[in-house]
Amino acid sequence: MTTRQVYNPGPRAQRYYDAMHFATATRAGDLIWVSGQVGIDPETGLPAQGIEAQAQFAFRAVEAALVAAGSSLGDIVELMTFHTELGRDSAGFSAVKDEFVHEPYPCWTAVGVTELARPEFLVEIRAVAFVNAR
């Protein structure tokens, strides 16, 4: 039987788990699902300014969740991103994505949306990864 474990790295993630009832990451067997991560600066608790800064913080949050669950950015098999300004911000986002995601590239779906959880958020990143027994 496959067991399911939840991971909430850091006090903010645990507060969301307790108050809003969702896990930052869930591992079932050798697969990990990471809930959508946004560009909040962990030092200030505020959204970062601009798509590049928000994407960097969001990818770092995805990475922290994967590491806590026993994986890494290199083990992502599916990436889904949600953008409030998809056309305008695609070049800046793609440049940051390429800093964090390398070959072999995962599947990626980018979706343009009218809004995210807060009006300041420009991008949200969710991922599915496997546990690589290196």
Side-chain angles (χ1 to χ4, degrees):
M1 178 187 289
T2 300
T3 60
R4 183 173 73 167
Q5 297 171 284
V6 298
Y7 299 88
N8 298 301
R12 177 174 281 115
Q14 188 61 47
R15 283 195 306 272
Y16 289 148
Y17 183 80
D18 294 337
M20 300 176 74
H21 307 141
F22 74 90
T24 300
T26 300
R27 178 176 171 175
D30 289 337
L31 289 177
I32 301 163
W33 289 261
V34 178
S35 293
Q37 300 298 301
V38 292
I40 293 178
D41 182 336
E43 296 293 318
T44 66
L46 299 172
Q49 295 297 309
I51 187 63
E52 291 88 353
Q54 284 197 19
Q56 288 174 349
F57 282 120
F59 272 112
R60 287 185 191 122
V62 168
E63 182 176 37
L66 290 172
V67 168
S71 191
S72 70
L73 291 171
D75 298 324
I76 293 174
V77 294
E78 181 184 25
L79 189 64
M80 183 172 275
T81 58
F82 303 89
H83 307 256
T84 58
E85 298 287 337
L86 182 59
R88 187 184 71 167
D89 291 342
S90 63
F93 177 82
S94 291
V96 173
K97 179 179 69 68
D98 288 347
E99 294 175 25
F100 290 90
V101 179
H102 307 278
E103 286 192 76
Y105 299 117
C107 297
W108 175 32
T109 302
V111 180
V113 297
T114 57
E115 63 183 315
L116 294 168
R118 289 175 51 183
E120 306 95 332
F121 294 152
L122 302 173
V123 66
E124 185 168 329
I125 303 169
R126 68 174 300 274
V128 178
F130 67 98
V131 178
N132 189 351
R134 292 183 186 129

